[in-house]
């Protein structure tokens, strides 16, 4: 009987370790699905900011990424008052360029993009596996998706938020929902990714979000007695995985583009 008990215990422990390993692999896959280390990335972004009681604003931008070199460029193309502004990341440094005074200033991955609810870091690779450790994981249903709900705690100071909840679909490792929390456990933001588009380009096939809805849980107003929070809708289109010219990832490129 004792041997049987020990055998059952060992089997349960092995199963638990295997499940943990599988979920860790799923979290790593979720991170890998947000990066482009084997190719460049280009897309057009439409960023619609909705502030309750104040109306909407729309920003159009072009995004260029080369994750293997840790660099990306964002060029604002609309509205006309913002056209020519841009962002450039080189390794760990992010620069913001304003053509009005032709000057570059330091920016941060945690800064808001064009005064929306999107952070600058939302446009680059997401380091779920690298920057966080798993506190808990459980199987849940999110709409029609079978997901693993990860509760993550930052293990690096460079992490965007101290605590994160992440819903990852089990069959494809795609992030469906994300909640960002402060160290005290206060919810800061909620991001939902309703659907993905399959992109085949330059011999590569990837899944890219069609859109992302980012809600700021700290900013809002009561409208007709109901609390409504600021939201930003980020739509992604015209995706290409072809190699981009090296010059695009430089300050002179932003200066030239801003002068047009």
């Amino acid at each position: 009987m004792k041997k049987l008990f020990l055998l059952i215990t060992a089997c349960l422990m092995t199963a638990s370790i295997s499940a943990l390993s599988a979920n860790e692999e799923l979290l790593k896959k979720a991170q890998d699905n947000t990066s482009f280390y084997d190719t460049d990335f280009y897309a057009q972004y439409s960023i619609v900011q909705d502030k309750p009681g104040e109306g909407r604003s729309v920003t159009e931008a072009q995004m260029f990424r080369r994750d293997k070199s840790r660099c990306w460029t964002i060029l604002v193309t609309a509205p006309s008052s913002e056209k020519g502004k841009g962002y450039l990341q080189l390794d760990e440094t992010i620069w913001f360029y304003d053509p009005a005074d032709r000057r570059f200033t330091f920016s941060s991955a945690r800064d808001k993009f064009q005064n929306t609810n999107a952070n600058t870091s939302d446009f680059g690779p997401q380091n779920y596996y690298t920057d966080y450790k798993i506190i808990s994981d459980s199987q849940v249903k999110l709409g029609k998706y079978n997901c693993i709900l990860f509760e993550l705690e930052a293990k690096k100071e460079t992490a965007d938020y101290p605590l994160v909840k992440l819903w990852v679909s089990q069959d494809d490792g795609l992030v469906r929902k994300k909640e960002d929390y402060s160290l005290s456990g206060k919810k800061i933001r909620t991001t939902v990714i309703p659907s993905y588009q399959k992109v085949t380009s330059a011999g590569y096939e990837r899944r890219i979000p069609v859109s992302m809805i980012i809600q700021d849980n700290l900013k809002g107003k009561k409208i007709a007695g109901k609390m409504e929070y600021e939201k930003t809708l980020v739509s992604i289109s015209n995706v290409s995985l072809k190699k981009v010219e090296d010059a695009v990832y430089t300050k002179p490129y932003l200066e030239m583009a801003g002068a047009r």
Side-chain angles (χ1 to χ4, degrees):
M1 182 64 72
K2 185 176 180 181
K3 289 183 177 179
L4 179 60
F5 174 77
L6 291 174
L7 179 61
I8 293 174
T9 301
C11 290
L12 289 174
M13 289 180 63
T14 301
S16 177
I17 292 172
S18 297
L20 177 60
S21 177
N23 288 344
E24 285 180 335
E25 285 298 317
L26 184 66
L27 184 63
K28 186 176 185 302
K29 185 176 181 180
Q31 173 174 303
D32 292 342
N33 281 336
T34 71
S35 61
F36 304 92
Y37 289 110
D38 50 358
T39 179
D40 280 5
F41 170 85
Y42 165 83
Q44 294 178 343
Y45 280 64
S46 175
I47 302 104
V48 180
Q49 172 75 357
D50 189 351
K51 293 187 176 183
E54 300 180 30
R56 294 183 174 181
S57 61
V58 181
T59 300
E60 304 288 343
Q62 294 178 324
M63 177 81 200
F64 306 86
R65 282 172 53 180
R66 182 173 292 169
D67 293 346
K68 66 181 179 182
S69 300
R70 303 177 73 181
C71 60
W72 51 251
T73 297
I74 302 176
L75 177 64
V76 178
T77 57
S80 57
S81 59
E82 302 294 303
K83 186 176 180 180
K85 292 183 178 180
Y87 297 78
L88 172 66
Q89 174 173 296
L90 298 173
D91 199 15
E92 294 294 333
T93 304
I94 297 177
W95 298 93
F96 169 70
Y97 178 70
D98 189 341
D101 55 14
R102 299 180 182 179
R103 188 173 64 178
F104 285 89
T105 57
F106 283 110
S107 184
S108 165
R110 299 176 185 177
D111 286 348
K112 298 301 180 183
F113 176 78
Q114 294 295 103
N115 296 314
T116 68
N117 306 116
N119 296 338
T120 307
S121 61
D122 292 329
F123 298 93
Q126 303 300 301
N127 298 321
Y128 307 126
Y129 182 80
T130 306
D131 290 356
Y132 292 88
K133 61 181 178 181
I134 301 173
I135 301 303
S136 69
D137 51 68
S138 56
Q139 293 186 1
V140 298
K141 194 84 171 178
L142 183 66
K144 64 180 181 180
Y145 300 108
N146 295 314
C147 295
I148 295 296
L149 169 56
F150 292 97
E151 294 193 21
L152 307 175
E153 182 179 86
K155 60 183 180 181
K156 291 186 177 181
E157 291 184 359
T158 54
D160 290 340
Y161 295 93
L163 302 171
V164 167
K165 288 184 179 180
L166 200 67
W167 285 255
V168 180
S169 47
Q170 290 181 268
D171 60 338
D172 51 23
L174 297 174
V175 173
R176 302 293 174 175
K177 182 180 177 181
K178 177 173 174 275
E179 292 180 348
D180 304 312
Y181 291 82
S182 67
L183 192 58
S184 64
K186 189 177 184 65
K187 189 191 294 186
I188 300 173
R189 295 195 319 166
T190 302
T191 301
V192 178
I193 304 177
S195 61
Y196 285 78
Q197 55 190 306
K198 183 183 291 186
V199 175
T200 302
S201 174
Y204 298 95
E205 184 176 283
R206 300 297 300 271
R207 299 285 295 276
I208 312 294
V210 173
S211 61
M212 300 182 292
I213 303 168
I214 304 171
Q215 176 176 288
D216 191 322
N217 295 98
L218 301 181
K219 294 181 180 179
K221 288 183 179 180
K222 277 193 175 182
I223 307 293
K226 181 182 177 182
M227 191 66 183
E228 295 186 14
Y229 294 99
E230 290 187 10
K231 293 181 181 178
T232 298
L233 171 64
V234 181
S235 300
I236 304 170
S237 61
N238 297 324
V239 178
S240 171
L241 303 177
K242 296 179 181 178
K243 188 178 186 303
V244 176
E245 292 183 9
D246 296 345
V248 171
Y249 306 106
T250 65
K251 287 183 177 182
Y253 174 79
L254 283 181
E255 291 174 320
M256 179 184 66
R260 293 174 183 171

